[in-house]
Amino acid sequence: MNHQRWEHFPHEADMGIRGIGNTRDQAFEQAALAMTAVITDPVQVAAAEMVEITRAAPDDELLLVDWLNALVYEMATRKLLFSRFEVHVKDHVLNAHAFGEPMNPAKHHMAVEVKGATYTALRVAQESNGEWIAQCVVDV
C-alpha cells in the first residue's frame, strides 16, 4: 500500500508540515514537498535543476530539521524552488537530491517565505500501521 503523501497542520502563527511515507526516506521527501507547498504549488515547479545535499545529525528528528533548513538555505542563496526530492538516510546521514527551477514570481505565485524549520512539533517515527511520519513546524 502506498502511504506516500504530505499535509499541513495548523499552528498559531506558523505552519505545520508533515510528510508520510512507506519508508523514512519517503517521509523526508514528502516533508520537503509539504514545505514547498507552503511557498507555492509544487505542481507549478519544474524539476529542471538538481542540487545535492548531504547532512548528518545525532538522531532522525535533528536530521529532519537540518534537511529542511538546508533546503531553505539553497532556496534563498540559489533563488530556486524545488518540486522533487530523492532522499536516502542511513545511520543518521542524509544524502539527497533536490530538483527544481529558478523562482519566477509570475509563474510560481509565491504565498509566503519559509524562514526555517523549527523544533516545534518535531517528530520522526514509524506508526503502528507501518507508515513513517516526518513533521515539524516551519517559521513563515
Side-chain angles (χ1 to χ4, degrees), residues 50-65:
M50 188 269 292
V51 174
E52 187 171 344
I53 296 172
T54 300
R55 291 289 185 265
D59 61 43
D60 287 344
E61 284 80 14
L62 294 177
L63 192 59
L64 176 66
V65 169

Side-chain angles (χ1 to χ4, degrees), residues 85-101:
F85 307 93
E86 295 174 357
V87 173
H88 303 284
V89 177
K90 184 175 181 183
D91 299 328
H92 306 299
V93 176
L94 175 143
N95 291 295
H97 294 119
F99 300 88
E101 68 175 329

Side-chain angles (χ1 to χ4, degrees), residues 92 108 112:
H92 306 299
H108 297 123
V112 296

Side-chain angles (χ1 to χ4, degrees), residues 30-69:
Q30 293 298 307
L33 202 53
M35 186 171 74
T36 298
V38 172
I39 303 165
T40 190
D41 181 356
V43 173
Q44 301 300 317
V45 180
E49 297 182 29
M50 188 269 292
V51 174
E52 187 171 344
I53 296 172
T54 300
R55 291 289 185 265
D59 61 43
D60 287 344
E61 284 80 14
L62 294 177
L63 192 59
L64 176 66
V65 169
D66 203 18
W67 156 236
L68 296 173
N69 282 328

Side-chain angles (χ1 to χ4, degrees), residues 9-49:
F9 59 91
H11 184 266
E12 288 179 22
D14 296 311
M15 178 67 72
I17 61 168
R18 180 177 295 129
I20 301 164
N22 295 326
T23 65
R24 176 182 46 200
D25 295 353
Q26 287 178 349
F28 273 57
E29 292 167 358
Q30 293 298 307
L33 202 53
M35 186 171 74
T36 298
V38 172
I39 303 165
T40 190
D41 181 356
V43 173
Q44 301 300 317
V45 180
E49 297 182 29

Side-chain angles (χ1 to χ4, degrees), residues 71-97:
L71 290 172
V72 169
Y73 174 81
E74 295 295 340
M75 286 189 286
T77 59
R78 296 176 190 250
K79 306 294 184 202
L80 291 173
L81 290 170
F82 299 108
S83 61
R84 189 166 68 85
F85 307 93
E86 295 174 357
V87 173
H88 303 284
V89 177
K90 184 175 181 183
D91 299 328
H92 306 299
V93 176
L94 175 143
N95 291 295
H97 294 119

